[in-house]
Amino acid sequence: MTSFNHFDSSFAVLFDLDGTIVDSRQGIVSTLHHVIRTLGHEPVLTRDLTWVVGPPLAELMAEVLAPYGEKRVDEAVGIYRERYQAVGRHQTPIFPGMVDLLQKLAASPVRLFTATSKPAFLAKDILQGHDIAGLFDCICGANADDSGGEKPELIEKIMREQNLQANRTIMIGDRRFDIAGAHANHLRALGVLWGYGGEAELTQAGADYLCESPEELTAAVYDQLSATSQHAGAAH
């Protein structure tokens, strides 16, 4: 059994939420279909919308609506927020094995944070719904209006406000945005393959390590935290 008690409170782990801790695909895609219907169109159910999961939605809504010739982006975002808050956020099961890892980290001196492009209040609601919000030192994410969700700026803000050290902090996520945001702040970045980015995207983004399962991630987090303390900023 991996124990993180070897590390002190100067170490920290940042987690993406969608596609890393929770499987939010169903909640997000069903909410988008609701938006499209509300605007008077019939959604093409075979159209892949998985690519929307991860980045700030407000920036991508125009692309989601384009195939329908729809330009009411601001209205669509408002409809999305209301529906997701009421229904979509409840359609977010946790990936098997992730609670065990989070509990192990929370039981150690290592500090634990989310770094999600989802508004922080929604992330907190989702994690509270699974009774794991209390495992985190802080649930960090975008502002209520979806601003501030770009990963480089968000991670920089977390690092600054929480007084974290780049050579003792790692980022875990499933999309290239997570990897790029981490590297922009000189953090090691672990990519998870059960999310929505995939091996090719994460490899191209330069992930320091790829994990196929939460069990493998547990060992990788230990190894990467050890590497940060021994070789600050060096590749593993």
Side-chain angles (χ1 to χ4, degrees), residues 82-112:
E82 182 178 355
R83 177 72 172 189
Y84 191 86
Q85 174 70 6
V87 179
R89 67 186 178 93
H90 300 294
Q91 301 171 318
T92 52
I94 298 180
F95 287 108
M98 284 304 296
V99 171
D100 182 61
L101 170 56
L102 294 171
Q103 288 175 335
K104 287 177 180 177
L105 284 166
S108 77
V110 176
R111 301 175 69 196
L112 198 54

Side-chain angles (χ1 to χ4, degrees), residues 97-151:
M98 284 304 296
V99 171
D100 182 61
L101 170 56
L102 294 171
Q103 288 175 335
K104 287 177 180 177
L105 284 166
S108 77
V110 176
R111 301 175 69 196
L112 198 54
F113 303 89
T114 64
T116 174
S117 294
K118 188 183 293 300
F121 80 92
L122 270 181
K124 186 174 182 179
D125 283 350
I126 290 169
L127 294 171
Q128 283 179 333
H130 291 293
D131 295 322
I132 59 172
L135 299 179
F136 294 87
D137 289 72
C138 183
I139 297 171
C140 306
N143 299 316
D145 63 356
D146 286 318
S147 65
E150 293 289 341
K151 286 297 171 81

Side-chain angles (χ1 to χ4, degrees), residues 1-234:
M1 176 177 169
T2 302
S3 171
F4 294 97
N5 289 324
H6 167 73
F7 305 102
D8 61 35
S9 60
S10 67
F11 290 87
V13 181
L14 311 182
F15 279 91
D16 172 52
L17 183 64
D18 297 326
T20 301
I21 296 176
V22 299
D23 186 356
S24 51
R25 185 196 318 251
Q26 179 186 352
I28 290 174
V29 172
S30 65
T31 303
L32 288 171
H33 288 163
H34 170 79
V35 170
I36 293 165
R37 290 190 182 98
T38 301
L39 292 176
H41 310 282
E42 186 57 35
V44 179
L45 301 181
T46 56
R47 182 168 288 136
D48 180 24
L49 292 175
T50 301
W51 58 274
V52 176
V53 183
L57 181 69
E59 300 176 11
L60 304 176
M61 188 62 83
E63 293 182 53
V64 173
L65 298 178
Y68 303 93
E70 181 59 66
K71 299 185 183 302
R72 291 173 286 175
V73 176
D74 289 343
E75 183 178 347
V77 170
I79 296 168
Y80 180 93
R81 287 176 181 160
E82 182 178 355
R83 177 72 172 189
Y84 191 86
Q85 174 70 6
V87 179
R89 67 186 178 93
H90 300 294
Q91 301 171 318
T92 52
I94 298 180
F95 287 108
M98 284 304 296
V99 171
D100 182 61
L101 170 56
L102 294 171
Q103 288 175 335
K104 287 177 180 177
L105 284 166
S108 77
V110 176
R111 301 175 69 196
L112 198 54
F113 303 89
T114 64
T116 174
S117 294
K118 188 183 293 300
F121 80 92
L122 270 181
K124 186 174 182 179
D125 283 350
I126 290 169
L127 294 171
Q128 283 179 333
H130 291 293
D131 295 322
I132 59 172
L135 299 179
F136 294 87
D137 289 72
C138 183
I139 297 171
C140 306
N143 299 316
D145 63 356
D146 286 318
S147 65
E150 293 289 341
K151 286 297 171 81
E153 292 79 7
L154 175 62
I155 293 174
E156 188 279 330
K157 180 181 179 183
I158 296 169
M159 299 293 290
R160 174 169 36 85
E161 292 185 349
Q162 300 296 333
N163 196 28
L164 304 181
Q165 303 174 47
N167 64 347
R168 288 176 178 251
T169 304
I170 61 173
M171 173 70 192
I172 299 169
D174 69 310
R175 299 296 310 274
R176 59 187 172 87
F177 311 100
D178 302 308
I179 309 304
H183 287 168
N185 289 280
H186 311 292
L187 272 61
R188 289 168 177 265
L190 279 66
V192 301
L193 296 177
W194 56 84
Y196 313 123
E199 183 174 2
E201 176 178 312
L202 291 167
T203 299
Q204 185 174 8
D208 294 285
Y209 194 87
L210 297 180
C211 300
E212 294 186 355
S213 69
E215 292 73 25
E216 183 181 354
L217 177 60
T218 301
V221 169
Y222 185 92
D223 291 343
Q224 292 292 318
L225 287 177
S226 298
T228 61
S229 62
Q230 295 168 10
H231 308 289

